[in-house]
Each structure stands twice: as C-alpha cells, then as structure tokens.
Amino acid sequence: MKIKSLFILLFLSAFTFIHAQITDYSIFDKKFNFYIANDLGRNGYYDQKPIAELMGTMGEEIGPEFVLATGDVHHFDGVRSVNDPLWMTNYELIYAHPELMIDWFPLLGNHEYRGSTQAVLDYTNISRRWSMPDRYYTKVFEEKGATIRIVWIDTTPLIDKYREESDKYPDACKQDISQQLSWLESVLANAKEDWIIVAGHHPIYAYTPKEESERLDMQKRVDSILCKHKVDMYICGHIHNFQHIRVPGSDIDYVVNSAASLARQVEPIEGTRFCSPEPGFSVCSIDKKELNLRMIDKKGNVLYTITRKK
C-alpha cells in the first residue's frame, strides 16, 4: 500500500509539472498577494540570485504586498551585529529588485540563532524593509473586505535539540517556552479573521533528515495548540524542499516552502499530498472566499497549488 501511494504521489507530481506554467497573470488580479521565502542565507550561492531576480520580475505582474520570511534569511553562521557586512552581501544587495523593496516580515531560524539574535531584531531599525517587532508576533491585513491574520512564532527555542546545544545556539535556552505558547494560545483563541496562517521555521510533520526529535517537539508543543483553534495553514521552511501534508483528523494544511538555495531530495510521509526537491518560493493569494498558495520553482513554473475555500 505504501509503494502504491508513493507511485500515485509521483504520478500526480509529474502531471503538475507538465501543466503548471504561468501564462495568465490575471489569476492574481483583485487578490491580496504576498510572497513566502526562506533559507536564503548562503551569500548568493546556489540558485539564490536568479530566484531573487525571478521574484522581482514576477512581482511586476503579481504585485506582492510583503514577504513572509520564514527563517534563515541571512548567512548560515548567523550575524554578529547590525554592522556585519553579511547583511549587505546576503540580503540588501541580492534582493535589490525594486519590486522586492517591500516589507519583509521575518522570524528567526536556527541559523540566525547561531549569531546575535538581538542584531537580527535590531536590524528593523536600520533597514527600510526588515520589519521584525519581536521574536514572535502577529499582524492582521485587510483588503477589500477580506481579512487574514498571520502569526509568526519563534520555533528554535521550542525544540530541545537547540536548547541543549548551548555552545552553538547560546540564546535558544534563554527563551521562555511557556510564555510563547501561552501567547500563541491566546492569539488563536481570539482570532476572528477570514484566514489564519501560523508561520514558523521548523516543520511539524514533514520529513526532515536532521532529527526526528525536531518534529516530535513541534507536534507536542505547537500542533497541540493549533488543532484546538481555527487555523488554515502552518507554513515553515528549514528543510529546503516543497511539501504539502494533510494529517488525518486535522483540517490544517501543513506547508513547507522550499529554499532559494541548496534544495534537497524529498521523502514523503503519510498524508503527503505533494513534495518536490525543486528550489523556489511561494505566492499566497486571498480574497473573501478563497485562499491559494502556489509553489513556484526557479523557472517560474507553478509546481502545485493549495486551495482553501469558504
């Protein structure tokens, strides 16, 4: 049964590749559009520069309102201060297209935790684009009567692996887990918007070649809260590939956004609807009745679309 399911998944993935190239940008008209990008911290290596240019070029047609940046946006060894030249070489210069001169709402990935996390937060006072009010925060956006709430959570300290590696991630063990989770519970309990998206850096269910303990900690601490409330999507980065998972008994779409650099092979798990090792980014589009998240590869093809309807 497992082999048969995998065969069907691969067949559907191939079918999506053949029929998914964007030819009509009117699908983004009269929608509230924003980009999703993460794991960019390779100083322009791999496909980062061409994907950045593609995001900018497509932005001329799509008109994204902002970038939801789900972690590891800067150098993979972290940054030391706001004067670190890596801010320029890895972010300000690479993502320099005029259509990307919009708000970037980031969260911290585990690579940011390798450096000075306070410097990452402080950069919001220097960059016109970098808008990070805290380690975890929430914002509501409204467009033509449609509302969407995005909740950014700080997942690195929620995983014991990073809390225990105090030499590599010295700031992770200092963060209060219970305080953040109580805040998340309160925000979701009071959320009344049309669409609710929670964004973190680490996956809850998607396979990761790193350590299974990462997923188990996220399931225990985060998913136990998400499942009690109206949450449409949980979106993350971290594992450098596209994945869409639906867990039996849950109405949440668990989404992994691929990296703009160093894409990796994918291993589907139970509940996987789509997976791809292609590097790229995603576009989320909403109106009052529909939410679409389109996974886009480095050639500008829409590999897969997740659709939620009211």
Side-chain angles (χ1 to χ4, degrees):
M1 181 62 70
K2 184 176 181 181
I3 295 175
K4 181 180 179 181
S5 298
L6 180 58
F7 174 79
I8 293 172
L9 175 64
L10 294 173
F11 175 80
L12 291 174
S13 299
F15 184 86
T16 305
F17 271 95
I18 294 171
H19 294 83
Q21 191 166 11
I22 297 179
T23 57
D24 181 7
Y25 280 93
S26 67
I27 57 176
F28 300 103
D29 291 349
K30 299 180 181 179
K31 306 282 187 179
F32 184 85
N33 304 304
F34 59 91
Y35 279 155
I36 302 165
N38 52 263
D39 290 275
L40 313 176
R42 303 286 170 175
N43 278 39
Y45 295 162
Y46 309 105
D47 293 306
Q48 186 175 346
K49 288 183 179 179
I51 287 177
E53 187 62 30
L54 174 63
M55 289 172 64
T57 301
M58 290 182 65
E60 297 170 8
E61 302 288 344
I62 294 172
E65 300 291 334
F66 61 88
V67 179
L68 192 170
T70 55
D72 287 357
V73 177
H74 290 282
H75 187 65
F76 60 89
D77 277 331
V79 294
R80 300 291 175 258
S81 74
V82 293
N83 298 315
D84 192 326
L86 289 172
W87 286 109
M88 289 294 290
T89 59
N90 195 56
Y91 173 66
E92 297 290 2
L93 296 183
I94 293 173
Y95 287 82
H97 192 286
E99 292 299 321
L100 297 179
M101 296 296 172
I102 53 181
D103 285 330
W104 286 59
F105 295 109
L107 50 82
L108 295 170
N110 49 292
H111 285 306
E112 273 93 12
Y113 263 94
R114 291 189 181 191
S116 170
T117 53
Q118 188 58 49
V120 179
L121 294 169
D122 289 344
Y123 198 61
T124 195
N125 300 316
I126 295 176
S127 172
R128 186 184 67 80
R129 296 182 287 167
W130 195 255
S131 300
M132 188 176 184
D134 214 328
R135 293 174 189 269
Y136 49 92
Y137 56 101
T138 184
K139 292 184 69 68
V140 174
F141 304 89
E142 182 173 3
E143 179 72 16
K144 298 178 181 179
T147 57
I148 180 170
R149 177 181 291 275
I150 301 179
V151 184
W152 286 259
I153 61 174
D154 186 22
T155 58
T156 302
L158 301 177
I159 297 173
D160 290 341
K161 167 187 172 179
Y162 300 111
R163 296 182 68 84
E164 293 167 359
E165 294 185 38
S166 57
D167 290 341
K168 187 181 293 186
Y169 310 99
D171 198 23
C173 60
K174 300 175 184 177
Q175 306 309 312
D176 189 326
I177 292 178
S178 59
Q179 181 176 332
Q180 179 179 182
L181 296 179
S182 295
W183 172 87
L184 176 63
E185 179 92 62
S186 176
V187 168
L188 294 179
N190 291 286
K192 306 298 183 185
E193 290 72 29
D194 298 318
W195 306 103
I196 310 293
I197 291 177
V198 177
H201 182 61
H202 297 85
I204 293 177
Y205 287 103
Y207 170 79
T208 169
K210 300 177 186 289
E211 285 187 21
E212 186 181 12
S213 64
E214 296 185 21
R215 292 186 296 162
L216 296 178
D217 285 347
M218 290 291 291
Q219 290 168 24
K220 175 178 66 176
R221 291 174 175 152
V222 177
D223 200 43
S224 59
I225 296 175
L226 303 189
C227 290
K228 292 192 294 183
H229 302 284
K230 175 188 172 295
V231 174
D232 293 291
M233 286 186 175
Y234 174 77
I235 302 175
C236 70
H238 186 52
I239 57 177
H240 296 210
N241 56 62
F242 286 118
Q243 291 193 47
H244 173 214
I245 295 168
R246 292 298 299 268
V247 177
S250 174
D251 191 42
I252 299 172
D253 287 292
Y254 297 92
V255 181
V256 181
N257 186 66
S258 190
S261 59
L262 194 61
R264 294 178 176 143
Q265 289 299 315
V266 176
E267 188 170 319
I269 65 165
E270 181 184 2
T272 298
R273 300 291 184 90
F274 175 80
C275 59
S276 169
E278 289 296 308
F281 61 100
S282 294
V283 180
C284 190
S285 304
I286 70 160
D287 60 20
K288 186 75 174 178
K289 297 182 178 180
E290 187 171 287
L291 180 154
N292 289 291
L293 185 144
R294 296 178 173 90
M295 299 176 175
I296 300 175
D297 71 5
K298 63 183 179 181
K299 297 180 180 179
N301 297 315
V302 177
L303 303 181
Y304 182 72
T305 300
I306 303 170
T307 298
R308 295 183 67 95
K309 294 180 181 290
K310 293 296 184 185

